């Protein structure tokens, strides 16, 4: 049976860019007898990429938080037939790429199978310090973020933004894990040299998710245009009580925008691709319908087409 396979690439991770981490005192971590200076560039094109990835994982494992995270990530990777090392590749930037593969038969487009594949890229120009923190950040997304299917009718923009920013395995949690790893591996770092201090409770001295959520929902001068977009996509302002015009410190490097704004842009991009793919599927369904006799105008295939067309029209009217 011939197969028509449509691919949808969904990048749902945004590298944290929060005004930089500043300079830090050099500290040497000894792993297997090799010295790692945090400020040294972790990878060069003449080096073996997999060996360098392994070294980053070794460094991360020196952190209590990192070791626990790696154990959980390894368990998930094993279910996908991979080792944790095989999740990583050297890239132009640090991010988690999740590819949703949608398969259906050309002869029967109504039957669909979905499969997700994940790859974590680590910025090749980073220092060991930033590369290890990015590794912890992206592993948190990979391990804990709940999968989503943008082809379903209830793929809600407000829920997507909330999940991306403050949900399980979202940007806030990934950043908090990143901060924990930083404090455990590089204790000489202080709050004045790191934005992690901005999400630490001044009374308890502990990292606070509540404070982080407030920080991540500051969108600065984007507030008016963002609220207009919320109206377009029927997102109630009551869904985001922490959204504010306060100075945006945490910026998505993928979009160069505050995280809530970037997440809604990502939603638009995803839906644009989804609707293009659904349009192709509709064309295949139309071809298979052919010219049915009037007596077969209510056949199962015809009903499937009408149901899918109605769903497509409702979901995609804003994206085509």
């Amino acid at each position: 049976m011939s197969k028509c396979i449509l691919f949808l690439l969904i990048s749902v991770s945004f590298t944290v860019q929060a005004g930089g981490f500043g300079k830090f005192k050099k500290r040497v971590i000894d792993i297997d007898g090799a010295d790692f200076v945090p400020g040294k560039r972790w990878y060069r094109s003449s080096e073996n990429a997999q060996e360098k990835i392994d070294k980053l994982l070794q460094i991360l494992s020196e952190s209590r938080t990192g070791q626990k995270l790696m154990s959980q990530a390894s368990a998930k990777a094993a279910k996908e037939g991979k080792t944790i090392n095989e999740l990583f590749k050297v890239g132009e930037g640090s991010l988690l790429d999740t590819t949703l593969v949608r398969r259906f038969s050309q002869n029967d487009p109504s039957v669909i199978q979905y499969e997700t594949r994940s790859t974590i890229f680590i910025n090749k120009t980073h220092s060991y310090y930033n590369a290890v923190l990015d590794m912890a950040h992206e592993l948190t997304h990979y391990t804990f973020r709940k999968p989503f299917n943008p082809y379903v009718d209830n793929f809600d923009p407000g829920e997507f933004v909330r999940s991306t920013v403050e949900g399980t395995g979202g940007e806030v949690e990934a950043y908090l894990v990143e901060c924990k790893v930083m404090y455990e591996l590089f204790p000489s770092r202080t709050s004045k040299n790191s934005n992690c201090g901005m999400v630490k409770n001044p009374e308890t001295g502990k990292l606070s998710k509540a404070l982080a959520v407030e920080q991540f929902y500051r969108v600065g001068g984007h507030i008016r245009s963002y609220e207009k977009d919320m109206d377009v996509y029927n997102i109630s302002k009551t869904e985001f009580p922490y959204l504010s015009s306060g100075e945006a410190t945490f910026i998505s490097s993928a979009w160069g925008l505050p995280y809530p704004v970037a997440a809604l842009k990502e939603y638009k991009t995803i839906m644009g691709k989804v609707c293009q793919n659904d349009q192709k599927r509709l064309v295949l369904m139309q071809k298979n319908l052919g010219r049915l006799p009037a007596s077969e105008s209510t056949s199962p295939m015809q009903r499937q087409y009408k149901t899918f067309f109605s769903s497509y029209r409702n979901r995609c009217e804003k994206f085509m």
Side-chain angles (χ1 to χ4, degrees), residues 8-15 76 80 82 86-101 115-122 134 137-139 141-143 145 148 171 254-255 266 270 273:
L8 175 64
L9 178 62
I10 307 170
S11 298
V12 295
S13 174
F14 311 92
T15 303
K76 180 177 180 179
E80 300 172 358
K82 293 182 178 180
E86 292 171 331
L87 293 174
F88 292 94
K89 289 186 179 179
V90 178
E92 298 298 322
S94 296
L95 55 87
L96 169 66
D97 266 3
T98 298
T99 304
L100 177 64
V101 182
E115 179 186 347
T116 57
R117 301 169 185 169
S118 298
T119 301
I120 299 175
F121 292 93
I122 302 297
D134 279 2
H137 186 105
E138 303 305 337
L139 266 182
H141 289 319
Y142 168 77
T143 307
R145 186 157 190 209
F148 62 88
E171 294 302 329
W255 293 91
E266 188 74 12
I270 291 171
K273 294 176 181 178

Side-chain angles (χ1 to χ4, degrees), residues 132-178:
V132 169
L133 296 186
D134 279 2
M135 178 173 274
H137 186 105
E138 303 305 337
L139 266 182
T140 303
H141 289 319
Y142 168 77
T143 307
F144 300 112
R145 186 157 190 209
K146 296 178 180 178
F148 62 88
N149 186 346
Y151 288 98
V152 297
D153 288 338
N154 61 348
F155 183 54
D156 180 71
E159 176 57 31
F160 179 78
V161 172
R162 186 164 48 253
S163 173
T164 298
V165 177
E166 61 182 292
T168 302
E171 294 302 329
V172 166
E173 290 193 356
Y175 188 68
L176 292 175
V177 168
E178 181 180 329

Side-chain angles (χ1 to χ4, degrees), residues 94-114:
S94 296
L95 55 87
L96 169 66
D97 266 3
T98 298
T99 304
L100 177 64
V101 182
R102 186 175 70 155
R103 292 190 176 91
F104 56 81
S105 167
Q106 195 167 16
N107 296 325
D108 187 1
S110 64
V111 179
I112 306 173
Q113 293 180 329
Y114 297 98

